[in-house]
Amino acid sequence: MPQPQLPSIYAPITGRVQSARSASAIPGSELLGRGLQLSITGSTLYAPVSGELLHLSQSGDYIAIKVNEHFSLQLILGNGEHYLTHDALKVLCRHAKQVEQGTPLMFVNLPRLRSLPQSQQGLSVLLSALTEQACELPIHWQQTGRVVANETCLNEEPE
């Protein structure tokens, strides 16, 4: 089996890193993977990696992308509690099987998003290991600061 390669994960939306160790239940628990939470200032959510679109919730608040045989990536808006509709989201990739890094996945209505409770305004970006070898790789997430969609790599090696 080939050695796992960590994918470069680009910011899926313009915003700010809230914390790589967020107090939010989703990224903080590491149940769905290791990652960070972003506060959102942009209005378009892009694919942060290329891969197979494994799951897209009906409302669009949960997206899973299989990056390779070793990793999958989850994007979760808020707590992932919206089931059928999400007033702040317009899904663009409903029928996609594959996504390329930088492909628009959905539009975000920022005024509507801001009207929701604070717990529903962040975006979790979580990387899950699918193999034992991948579990052992260290992931170095950006700790703080502003991120620009499709330009900022979120998991660069520390200097």
Side-chain angles (χ1 to χ4, degrees), residues 133-153:
Q133 298 104 330
C135 287
E136 297 170 3
L137 287 178
I139 302 171
H140 303 285
W141 293 102
Q142 181 172 332
Q143 297 294 306
T144 60
R146 185 172 186 272
V147 296
V148 177
N150 293 322
E151 293 180 18
T152 307
C153 188

Side-chain angles (χ1 to χ4, degrees), residues 67-80:
V67 180
N68 55 37
E69 65 272 17
H70 298 287
F71 295 100
S72 70
L73 188 78
Q74 282 69 238
L75 301 174
I76 305 169
L77 186 69
N79 293 329

Side-chain angles (χ1 to χ4, degrees), residues 62-140:
Y62 174 78
I63 300 172
I65 301 169
K66 183 177 180 184
V67 180
N68 55 37
E69 65 272 17
H70 298 287
F71 295 100
S72 70
L73 188 78
Q74 282 69 238
L75 301 174
I76 305 169
L77 186 69
N79 293 329
E81 295 175 350
H82 291 266
Y83 297 107
L84 297 177
T85 61
H86 194 304
D87 293 342
L89 303 177
K90 180 181 178 188
V91 177
L92 303 173
C93 62
R94 180 82 51 210
H95 303 290
K97 301 285 186 225
Q98 294 284 127
V99 293
E100 295 296 319
Q101 190 275 318
T103 302
L105 300 177
M106 68 183 67
F107 291 128
V108 178
N109 179 327
L110 281 175
R112 178 66 186 122
L113 186 68
R114 298 268 189 275
S115 72
L116 298 173
Q118 186 69 31
S119 64
Q120 292 298 318
Q121 294 182 30
L123 177 71
S124 298
V125 179
L126 306 169
L127 186 66
S128 298
L130 302 175
T131 63
E132 194 172 317
Q133 298 104 330
C135 287
E136 297 170 3
L137 287 178
I139 302 171
H140 303 285

